[in-house]
Amino acid sequence: NDRKCLVSFVPYIDGNPRRMKRIINVFNVSRHIAELRCGKLSANLGSLGPKILKLTILLEQWPCRMAWLLQIIENVEQMCSHHIRDSSLIQFLQGNFTQFDGNALDESTYWDILCTIPIQDLYQNGVRHLMSNEDWSNMPSNDSDPQLFEGLLLHSTPGGKSAEPDGPYAISVRDLMSIGREMRSQEYGECLRSYMFNMPMAIVDKVAKMMEKALVTKEHK
């Protein structure tokens, strides 16, 4: 199954030999940890393996774009946990996603609402808008081809011919919940953040500051 999955993802790998080696090495370690957490005979491993491989490729080739996606998800989680009803991020989401459009929204529902948005829509209608006016020249790493990124986000079935939200290769917002939320749920071992071993923290810190600036700029326009 893992070999079939890798073959399916090959068109999105940029061909850098060192990067390809890191992808395989990180995936092998992550797959082994998933076996320890879920059990080698767990039925969840069959669906978890392709998602871990897909996430590994996304993080390795597009760390900046993935950092933006993950930052939005993390910020919404924190607002929900700390009962923050209004913020520049929520105003931005309300302006770009009909799911958040409504005056009667309660902060406790923000996470559940975000989970209804397909990950590719969150990128196309959210992240791309925030990234559009930012200066990337000082980023510690450069992303690969953005079109390949969008293609891989949409790739959710072995044939790759359709973007099915529930396809076996699809990654959802809920898959990227924080480890703390996972520990409080019944989904231990299935949260993909548990397998993010190749995300450069320097990029995460930089993106957090860039997002804060971008949201303030959007708020005052």
Side-chain angles (χ1 to χ4, degrees):
N1 186 47
D2 291 342
R3 183 182 295 274
K4 180 179 179 181
C5 179
L6 179 59
V7 170
S8 184
F9 291 153
V10 162
Y12 306 100
I13 297 177
D14 63 14
N16 183 303
R18 291 185 179 180
R19 183 171 281 167
M20 291 176 66
K21 184 177 181 179
R22 283 197 300 268
I23 288 171
I24 298 301
N25 288 342
V26 172
F27 172 69
N28 285 336
V29 171
S30 301
R31 184 69 163 73
H32 180 63
I33 292 175
E35 289 179 354
L36 294 176
R37 286 176 173 165
C38 302
K40 287 187 177 182
L41 301 179
S42 172
N44 293 331
L45 279 178
S47 59
L48 190 57
K51 291 185 178 184
I52 292 175
L53 177 56
K54 182 175 180 177
L55 180 67
T56 301
I57 297 171
L58 288 168
L59 293 174
E60 188 65 41
Q61 297 193 171
W62 300 279
C64 297
R65 284 171 171 76
M66 285 302 297
W68 281 86
L69 266 175
L70 293 165
Q71 191 65 47
I72 288 180
I73 294 171
E74 183 177 322
N75 286 358
V76 171
E77 277 192 286
Q78 290 178 353
M79 285 187 292
C80 185
S81 299
H82 295 89
H83 307 289
I84 299 174
R85 183 174 179 80
D86 192 24
S87 71
S88 55
L89 176 56
I90 290 301
Q91 292 176 20
F92 171 76
L93 293 173
Q94 287 175 331
N96 289 272
F97 297 94
T98 56
Q99 293 92 332
F100 279 92
D101 187 17
N103 295 323
L105 290 179
D106 183 84
E107 65 274 10
S108 63
T109 66
Y110 289 163
W111 171 250
D112 291 330
I113 293 171
L114 189 70
C115 288
T116 67
I117 301 174
I119 198 76
Q120 61 268 22
D121 291 350
L122 185 59
Y123 170 73
Q124 292 172 347
N125 299 322
V127 169
R128 284 178 57 178
H129 286 284
L130 291 173
M131 290 170 49
S132 59
N133 295 322
E134 293 304 305
D135 181 9
W136 288 58
S137 60
N138 294 323
M139 290 300 289
S141 176
N142 293 321
D143 283 2
S144 294
D145 187 337
Q147 291 184 333
L148 290 179
F149 176 75
E150 294 187 34
L152 184 53
L153 280 184
L154 288 167
H155 189 111
S156 59
T157 60
K161 296 181 180 179
S162 60
E164 299 177 9
D166 298 323
Y169 297 168
I171 291 178
S172 68
V173 169
R174 195 174 297 278
D175 288 328
L176 298 172
M177 72 172 78
S178 69
I179 296 175
R181 179 178 288 272
E182 178 200 23
M183 294 293 289
R184 298 191 296 271
S185 72
Q186 301 298 315
E187 303 173 6
Y188 180 68
E190 298 178 35
C191 172
L192 292 182
R193 287 209 186 215
S194 302
Y195 309 101
M196 285 174 34
F197 301 120
N198 58 330
M199 170 58 87
M201 293 310 300
I203 292 179
V204 174
D205 294 339
K206 183 75 173 179
V207 165
K209 295 176 182 177
M210 292 173 70
M211 181 173 292
E212 183 177 354
K213 177 185 174 183
L215 288 169
V216 171
T217 302
K218 293 284 185 183
E219 187 178 12
H220 287 87
K221 280 189 176 181

